[in-house]
Amino acid sequence: MSLLERYPNAPGAWLGELPITSRYTAGLAGERFLRAIKDDGKIMGSRCDRCGITYVPARQFCERCLDELDEWLDVGTKGEVYTFTLLFENLDGTAREEPEVVAFIRLGDGGLVHKLDEIHLDDLDIGMLVEAVFKPETERQGSILDIAYFRPTSP
Amino acid sequence: MGMRKVAVVGAGMTKFMRRAQETGKELSWQAARMALASCEMTLDDIQAVCLGTAPDAFDSIHLKGEYLSDGAGAWGKPYMRSYVGGGTGVFAPIQGWYHVASGLFDAVLVVCEEKMSSFYPHAQGAFLTIFDHTTERPLKPNLLWIFAMEMNRYMQTYGISKEDIAHVAVKNKRNAADHPCALLGNPDITVEDVLNSELLAWPVNRLDVSPVSDGAVALVMVAEHVAKRVTDKPVWIQGVGWSLDTAYWTNRDLAYPRYVEYAARMAYEMAGIKEPRKEINIVEPYDPFDYKECHHLEGLLLADRGQAPQLAIDGVSLRDGDMPVCPSGGLLGVGNPIAAAGLMKVAEIFWQLRGEAGARQVPGQPKRGLAQAWGDLMQVGTVVIMGTNP
Ligand SMILES: [Zn+2]
């Protein structure tokens, strides 16, 4: 079934739109987190010793005790696949020739949701170790997509 | 009524800025942390969290309440976002009040946040989307021209001039010069400056309107036994009220906000107030436009109809007048990050009644104050009355 299946008995429509354009700030922590990816190819976490949690992506404060987090650490670029899915259809309902793989990669006590690539679908498994592949430095824009994707790796 | 007494014991506030680097989460966290620190409490002492924030469109995050929850300190706690548009900042503490008054919780954190600079190119654009999609939106209404029509009707009904109303903007922007978090404080502004500022939609000039802003405010609200443990200066919630008029702009009295009167009467009855003009010492009515302060003072029964501008002209509503109005500097002077601006008014009454308002302190040790906000589709009134006695 297509995601855009039509209802044949629908009443007549008045067309309108909710035009929204936004310009976000990355925030105090977000600015520093994204700069570390862009400038250094590093993924940073921040640590709350009181609660024993390493937040990834790094945050400005601990959500459990509201302490300010000034202990930042490089959590490396390798993490385990915590879960994944395979996307067989595009948003407009058309079929993909090859499924896209998206995964939640565990880093510190958090992690990133990102794409997996350079992978044989038969090898895909929860618990497998993957590593970040960064775009060339000249193409990075301070975006989470400066990490092009994650790919399988060994310890 | 079988309700428990509820006190405000702590408050915190970020600077109100035109565009903050902080995310909405980070602004919420700063205010929450300041409020807890101000009464030497920690998040462990808080049993539930109430969040107030206006349309999702401003921060440009849908389910904004959930998005802001970590900054508000809601992790692992009962949490709910309340939302009545511009009235939210005075409704969120009402939600905090009934959480505690009901006996359900002994200590709650109330956080209000707005980051209006995300909406591009201007937050007014968000208001294109709140009107009826078939009868109104094709005309591309925004709040500036909708309120210009309300101001015009108010002026016409009572024979009020733009100059009369400009005194309110002058008073509030001068007051805000003493607020450390203010965006538009100006001790030297004059009526001529207001009248000569850029004309936006007649009769509204730029200085008749509050600025779009980013900011957050938080309060700690507790039951009586907790209040006695943490402070010797609790400020008590004496009355709350809220009321809604019709959603149809065209079926409302634009010269008189009846819904504000209904909300005020509910709060006065709860507080046992018979003669509000004699029994309320400080007022923080909602002032996104200068004429709205007047509108609201009349709806609150604190001025005769059509007579509110005279309070500013005669100096009655100045900080050292008989009935100080917006001693904080209001939305016109401090800024208008919608929900945060409303809660700022409640925080101002808290600081004033404790004698902690610094350069803004009104003389004479005020005993009772009222904060009010207005919003939804321009038809909700929300009122909180606070006092030094329970
Ligand atoms: Zn912590």
Side-chain angles (χ1 to χ4, degrees):
Chain A
M1 185 179 86
S2 159
L3 293 171
L4 291 186
E5 190 177 53
R6 296 278 176 193
Y7 171 45
N9 302 320
W14 174 266
L15 291 181
E17 57 180 8
L18 297 177
I20 290 181
T21 307
S22 308
R23 59 175 180 176
Y24 301 101
T25 55
L28 301 177
E31 184 77 17
R32 189 169 163 190
F33 177 77
L34 291 171
R35 277 193 189 283
I37 288 178
K38 178 171 180 276
D39 298 342
D40 309 322
K42 285 182 177 171
I43 299 173
M44 302 298 288
S46 59
R47 171 101 187 145
C48 181
D49 277 332
R50 182 204 294 241
C51 299
I53 295 172
T54 300
Y55 291 100
V56 181
R59 305 185 195 176
Q60 191 69 13
F61 59 91
C62 173
E63 67 178 3
R64 301 194 179 193
C65 69
L66 297 189
D67 265 7
E68 183 154 22
L69 303 181
D70 35 31
E71 185 190 343
W72 280 52
L73 57 158
D74 178 352
V75 296
T77 58
K78 295 180 180 180
E80 281 186 11
V81 171
Y82 183 78
T83 185
F84 66 86
T85 185
L86 301 170
L87 312 180
F88 285 91
E89 282 193 359
N90 296 305
L91 276 183
D92 64 3
T94 55
R96 294 176 62 92
E97 285 191 18
E98 286 294 322
E100 183 175 8
V101 190
V102 288
F104 166 12
I105 299 113
R106 176 68 82 195
L107 296 156
D109 296 310
L112 294 175
V113 172
H114 222 291
K115 300 176 202 178
L116 295 189
D117 209 339
E118 292 188 46
I119 189 167
H120 297 291
L121 296 185
D122 294 342
D123 297 339
L124 193 52
D125 203 5
I126 284 177
M128 71 187 299
L129 195 65
V130 293
E131 68 176 352
V133 177
F134 291 85
K135 286 181 180 168
E137 274 187 59
T138 51
E139 292 175 24
R140 293 182 204 161
Q141 296 180 314
S143 156
I144 197 67
L145 298 179
D146 288 353
I147 299 173
Y149 53 85
F150 282 75
R151 68 179 172 203
T153 189
S154 48
Chain B
M1 251 190 328
M3 300 280 193
R4 298 199 298 174
K5 291 171 186 169
V6 181
V8 180
V9 295
M13 174 178 181
T14 70
K15 261 186 180 313
F16 285 2
M17 289 166 279
R18 203 169 285 285
R19 180 155 171 81
Q21 168 65 263
E22 287 88 344
T23 60
K25 290 168 181 280
E26 289 168 345
L27 290 169
S28 301
W29 162 69
Q30 289 173 353
R33 198 156 173 259
M34 282 187 266
L36 288 168
S38 75
C39 53
E40 296 179 355
M41 290 174 73
T42 71
L43 201 50
D44 289 340
D45 301 318
I46 297 296
Q47 295 170 337
V49 176
C50 303
L51 181 91
T53 191
D56 288 353
F58 286 145
D59 287 56
S60 281
I61 296 266
H62 280 142
L63 297 182
K64 187 161 108 170
E66 289 64 29
Y67 167 74
L68 294 170
S69 62
D70 54 323
W75 180 81
K77 298 185 193 298
Y79 172 72
M80 182 180 254
R81 168 197 186 178
S82 57
Y83 172 50
V84 288
T88 300
V90 175
F91 185 77
I94 295 177
Q95 189 196 6
W97 169 81
Y98 58 67
H99 271 26
V100 177
S102 63
L104 201 53
F105 305 108
D106 289 337
V108 303
L109 185 60
V110 178
V111 181
C112 285
E113 178 273 0
E114 219 72 58
K115 180 154 175 141
M116 301 175 75
S117 67
S118 299
F119 200 95
Y120 185 80
H122 191 281
Q124 276 298 333
F127 295 118
L128 295 172
T129 65
I130 67 175
F131 296 96
D132 184 274
H133 45 66
T134 40
T135 60
E136 293 170 335
R137 259 172 50 206
L139 293 162
K140 302 195 184 306
N142 66 44
L143 293 191
L144 275 171
W145 64 258
I146 288 286
F147 296 137
M149 289 200 286
E150 186 175 74
M151 179 169 170
N152 195 9
R153 185 70 210 176
Y154 175 63
M155 289 164 56
Q156 170 69 26
T157 301
Y158 302 113
I160 297 167
S161 70
K162 273 169 60 65
E163 186 179 351
D164 294 339
I165 291 174
H167 282 86
V168 171
V170 169
K171 166 179 68 71
N172 292 3
K173 289 175 197 289
R174 286 186 181 177
N175 282 349
D178 295 318
H179 202 308
C181 299
L183 181 58
L184 283 189
N186 180 349
D188 304 317
I189 192 170
T190 65
V191 166
E192 288 67 38
D193 292 336
V194 178
L195 295 175
N196 294 331
S197 62
E198 180 187 348
L199 185 58
L200 301 175
W202 195 90
V204 175
N205 294 56
R206 179 168 292 282
L207 295 180
D208 291 307
V209 197
S210 56
V212 163
S213 333
D214 297 351
V217 178
L219 294 184
V220 179
M221 301 180 74
V222 302
E224 190 174 14
H225 66 280
V226 179
K228 288 191 166 148
R229 197 170 71 226
V230 300
T231 181
D232 51 11
K233 285 196 292 185
V235 172
W236 302 94
I237 304 292
Q238 297 181 334
V240 303
W242 68 104
S243 181
L244 197 73
D245 202 336
T246 170
Y248 290 85
W249 175 249
T250 44
N251 289 82
R252 226 177 285 153
D253 180 350
L254 298 186
Y256 183 71
R258 194 169 302 280
Y259 46 94
V260 172
E261 180 185 328
Y262 292 160
R265 285 189 184 282
M266 175 177 166
Y268 290 148
E269 187 180 333
M270 194 181 300
I273 292 172
K274 302 274 189 295
E275 295 182 273
R277 292 181 206 188
K278 290 182 184 160
E279 298 177 69
I280 303 280
N281 304 132
I282 324 170
V283 199
E284 280 280 344
Y286 203 60
D287 62 322
F289 292 67
D290 43 12
Y291 84 95
K292 289 307 294 188
E293 171 172 312
C294 302
H295 232 208
H296 293 149
L297 284 171
E298 293 167 21
L300 292 166
L301 310 173
L302 295 172
D304 292 336
R305 294 192 191 190
Q307 294 302 306
Q310 203 61 39
L311 297 178
I313 295 167
D314 294 343
V316 174
S317 58
L318 296 182
R319 195 178 277 145
D320 56 0
D322 285 346
M323 186 180 71
V325 178
C326 291
S328 64
L331 279 51
L332 287 163
V334 186
N336 188 10
I338 309 283
L343 194 60
M344 176 274 286
K345 291 183 165 288
V346 179
E348 180 70 11
I349 301 290
F350 170 74
W351 286 316
Q352 290 284 355
L353 296 183
R354 282 164 65 107
E356 294 175 350
R360 306 189 308 285
Q361 185 65 47
V362 307
Q365 295 182 315
K367 297 277 182 293
R368 184 185 270 146
L370 180 152
Q372 173 260 333
W374 154 81
D376 268 344
L377 288 169
M378 300 74 73
Q379 92 284 33
V380 73
T382 51
V383 173
V384 166
I385 298 170
M386 299 156 78
T388 52
N389 297 316

